[in-house]
Amino acid sequence: QQPVQSPQAVILREGEDAVINCSSSKALYSVHWYRQKHGEAPVFLMILLKGGEQKGHDKISASFNEKKQQSSLYLTASQLSYSGTYFCGTEYGNEKLTFGTGTRLTIIP
Amino acid sequence: IAGITQAPTSQILAAGRRMTLRCTQDMRHNAMYWYRQDLGLGLRLIHYSNTAGTTGKGEVPDGYSVSRANTDDFPLTLASAVPSQTSVYFCASSATGAHGYTFGSGTRLTVV
């Protein structure tokens, strides 16, 4: 079952913050976040496993709600290098990773 | 440099022809995957392998086959290519347990 990502696209000025959401209709085993730049492969950012978990590095962090049905990716004080398409990937039990349709993030100077 | 190597980088293929996309990893990951990426549809799983000698079907397996003779290699074969198989194909791998996926650089395939 494909997770629902929102928004589909967002344009920010450098230094602004963004939130990308990923929702499922049922409880998840895990949520992955990836970033893909144009013409390149997706790159793994982080994985969340536990309800209520929050983790991050530098100015990119993510949370997983208590019911394990929604995750949010937070990009703080965005930099030009943050531009790209962000995908969440979700796992249910023994099923393999299913990706959302992506959120295209454009950072302008 | 550890990672995944895919070949070819791009290919134009006549409909009806057979084609094998190659994928090799040097990270000793047990699990490997093939995804196709189409505009507006995200990444969709074609086939996967949890370990050498085993394979499974993903969301869109029709028209594709895979094999996993050893840990490192996971080729994807299109037996008789059709235009709807025009896509960018990514191979990925992951270690056992809850780990992120490492993706190859992709193969852009155009079937005409």
Side-chain angles (χ1 to χ4, degrees), chain B residues 7 9-10 19 35 37 42 46 50 56 69 76 85 87 89 95 106 108:
Chain B
T9 302
S10 65
M19 173 79 188
Y35 284 87
Q37 186 172 35
I46 305 171
N50 289 329
L76 176 73
Q85 292 178 311
S87 186
Y89 291 85
R108 182 174 295 276

Side-chain angles (χ1 to χ4, degrees), chain B residues 36-38 64 83-89 107-110:
Chain B
R36 60 177 289 174
Q37 186 172 35
D38 304 289
Y64 307 95
S84 62
Q85 292 178 311
T86 294
S87 186
V88 179
Y89 291 85
T107 293
R108 182 174 295 276
L109 180 67
T110 303

Side-chain angles (χ1 to χ4, degrees), chain A residues 32 34 36 41 44 87 96-97, chain B residues 35 37 48 50 99-101 104:
Chain A
H32 296 217
Y34 294 79
Q36 184 179 30
F44 173 70
F87 292 96
K96 301 306 174 185
L97 202 61
Chain B
Y35 284 87
Q37 186 172 35
Y48 65 90
N50 289 329
H99 293 88
Y101 288 17

Side-chain angles (χ1 to χ4, degrees), chain A residues 2 29 32 34 36 40-42 44 47 49 87 91 96-97 99-101 104, chain B residues 33 35 37 39-43 45 48 50 90 98-101 103-105:
Chain A
Q2 189 175 40
Y29 171 72
H32 296 217
Y34 294 79
Q36 184 179 30
E40 299 181 7
F44 173 70
I47 182 173
L49 295 168
F87 292 96
E91 289 180 295
K96 301 306 174 185
L97 202 61
F99 288 89
T101 53
R104 178 174 291 185
Chain B
Y33 316 88
Y35 284 87
Q37 186 172 35
L39 194 63
L41 297 176
L43 293 143
L45 182 65
Y48 65 90
N50 289 329
F90 287 102
H99 293 88
Y101 288 17
F103 283 84
S105 55

Side-chain angles (χ1 to χ4, degrees), chain B residues 10-73:
Chain B
S10 65
Q11 181 76 44
I12 299 174
L13 186 67
R17 297 295 296 269
R18 181 184 179 89
M19 173 79 188
T20 296
L21 308 185
R22 301 185 297 278
C23 175
T24 299
Q25 56 114 349
D26 61 3
M27 298 171 287
R28 308 304 294 172
H29 285 170
N30 282 325
M32 297 188 74
Y33 316 88
W34 275 104
Y35 284 87
R36 60 177 289 174
Q37 186 172 35
D38 304 289
L39 194 63
L41 297 176
L43 293 143
R44 293 181 294 166
L45 182 65
I46 305 171
H47 285 288
Y48 65 90
S49 170
N50 289 329
T51 189
T54 69
T55 62
K57 294 182 179 180
E59 179 186 356
V60 288
D62 294 343
Y64 307 95
S65 64
V66 293
S67 62
R68 186 89 183 275
N70 56 61
T71 298
D72 298 343
D73 301 301

